[in-house]
Amino acid sequence: MRLQISDSTTARQWAAVTGFTSAQFEKLLGLFSQSYFDLFGKTVAERQAEIEITPSLRSEEELLLFTLFSLKAGLTYDALGFVCGLDVSNAKRNQQLGLQVLERALSVAQCLPGREFKDAAEFASYLQNETTVIIDGLEQ
């Protein structure tokens, strides 16, 4: 992958590329790596060793960096693949994989907001202690 952890040397670069500081990234990486193992029973390297093609992303660290960058940059799969040195299908497949693992990691850490409610009363109850609610309805 063209995008490398070593390329981010300043706090500003870390924030621009991932939305995190390097310390936050490292903390999330531990949760991410454990979640990857929980989902697949193997590390990225162990799974990659089982296939005959050269892998695009060789570690949990590369997969997390790619996933966070894809979310932060908001590029199309064509552009994301170009920037990271992947073909379009690999860019999409790796982003979906990374999102699956990231969602599990954040769920385990109890950092995901509620997303599904059976009715308005349950939603109101969920938000009862919040003073500010921001709703992104751009696509609507």
Side-chain angles (χ1 to χ4, degrees):
M1 182 171 79
R2 285 188 200 146
L3 187 64
Q4 298 292 320
I5 289 286
S6 59
D7 294 338
S8 295
T9 57
T10 67
R12 183 179 176 132
Q13 287 173 333
W14 272 100
V17 172
T18 67
F20 290 90
T21 65
S22 60
Q24 290 169 326
F25 180 88
E26 289 300 321
K27 186 174 182 179
L28 181 56
L29 179 59
L31 294 168
F32 188 85
S33 297
Q34 184 60 53
S35 292
Y36 188 95
F37 188 83
D38 292 345
L39 284 168
F40 301 106
K42 297 178 181 179
T43 66
V44 168
E46 290 169 339
R47 287 185 73 206
Q48 297 292 348
E50 296 173 351
I51 60 175
E52 295 181 14
I53 59 171
T54 303
S56 304
L57 304 173
R58 296 184 174 110
S59 67
E60 290 82 358
E61 181 180 66
E62 285 187 2
L63 181 59
L64 179 58
L65 175 64
F66 173 80
T67 303
L68 294 176
F69 175 74
S70 74
L71 294 171
K72 184 78 167 130
L75 300 172
T76 64
Y77 291 119
D78 293 287
L80 182 61
F82 176 78
V83 169
C84 296
L86 309 172
D87 62 50
V88 176
S89 61
N90 267 336
K92 182 175 185 196
R93 189 173 27 257
N94 282 307
Q95 185 194 48
Q96 289 174 331
L97 173 63
L99 289 173
Q100 177 187 3
V101 177
L102 183 59
E103 183 175 5
R104 179 175 174 95
L106 294 174
S107 178
V108 168
Q110 298 180 340
C111 292
L112 283 180
R115 293 184 174 200
E116 295 181 19
F117 305 94
K118 64 181 177 187
D119 55 31
E122 184 180 8
F123 181 64
S125 174
Y126 178 78
L127 295 175
Q128 70 184 357
N129 296 325
E130 301 299 326
T131 57
T132 303
V133 176
I134 300 172
I135 299 175
D136 178 3
L138 180 65
E139 295 86 9
Q140 307 305 317

